[in-house]
Amino acid sequence: MIKARTAKFQIGQVVRHRIFSFRGVIFDIDPEFNNTEEWWLSIPEEVRPQKDQPFYHLLAENAESEYVAYVSEQNLMPDDSGEPIRHSQVAEIFIKDKAGGYRPRNPSLN
């Protein structure tokens, strides 16, 4: 029997990468790695994450651009800056609440 792991982060949470300079809001979670082997092997071996952990889909941004990122749990940490996410797709997926957090626009999709 496979032991299911509970995700540390949740949809709508703002996180930042531990190594690289980007942050984003989580819009989906895979309980374990669910991307191509080619993608996984493209990560340098010294920083390549284990596959048996949650992976998160982020509407991500850095100083230069906005994009979608796929990141392992071990490489994320909470972003407590309070700064809004500027990614152009945030409003399509989330509603910003009064506290500055992000709630899914259509919770039944997740």
Side-chain angles (χ1 to χ4, degrees), residues 7-71:
K8 182 178 177 180
F9 304 108
Q10 50 191 286
I11 291 173
Q13 187 171 358
V14 179
V15 291
R16 68 176 52 252
H17 198 280
R18 287 186 185 278
I19 300 168
F20 302 111
S21 182
F22 71 87
R23 59 194 289 268
V25 60
I26 298 167
F27 71 89
D28 198 10
I29 304 169
D30 293 336
E32 59 184 32
F33 181 78
N34 190 23
N35 205 333
T36 66
E37 191 69 11
E38 179 182 37
W39 182 91
W40 190 74
L41 291 172
S42 73
I43 301 168
E45 193 170 347
E46 63 275 6
V47 295
R48 190 177 300 149
Q50 295 295 314
K51 292 182 178 181
D52 65 342
Q53 63 181 307
F55 275 72
Y56 299 84
H57 299 262
L58 308 178
L59 295 178
E61 61 190 34
N62 60 28
E64 295 83 38
S65 64
E66 302 169 358
Y67 50 95
V68 173
Y70 190 63
V71 185

Side-chain angles (χ1 to χ4, degrees), residues 45-106:
E45 193 170 347
E46 63 275 6
V47 295
R48 190 177 300 149
Q50 295 295 314
K51 292 182 178 181
D52 65 342
Q53 63 181 307
F55 275 72
Y56 299 84
H57 299 262
L58 308 178
L59 295 178
E61 61 190 34
N62 60 28
E64 295 83 38
S65 64
E66 302 169 358
Y67 50 95
V68 173
Y70 190 63
V71 185
S72 65
E73 187 169 272
Q74 75 186 57
N75 284 323
L76 290 176
M77 54 194 273
D79 180 313
D80 299 323
S81 70
E83 293 292 317
I85 299 295
R86 69 175 192 276
H87 195 287
S88 61
Q89 291 179 282
V90 166
E92 294 174 33
I93 300 173
F94 295 102
I95 297 169
K96 195 159 182 175
D97 63 26
K98 292 179 183 176
Y102 297 93
R103 290 184 298 117
R105 191 170 282 283
N106 187 350

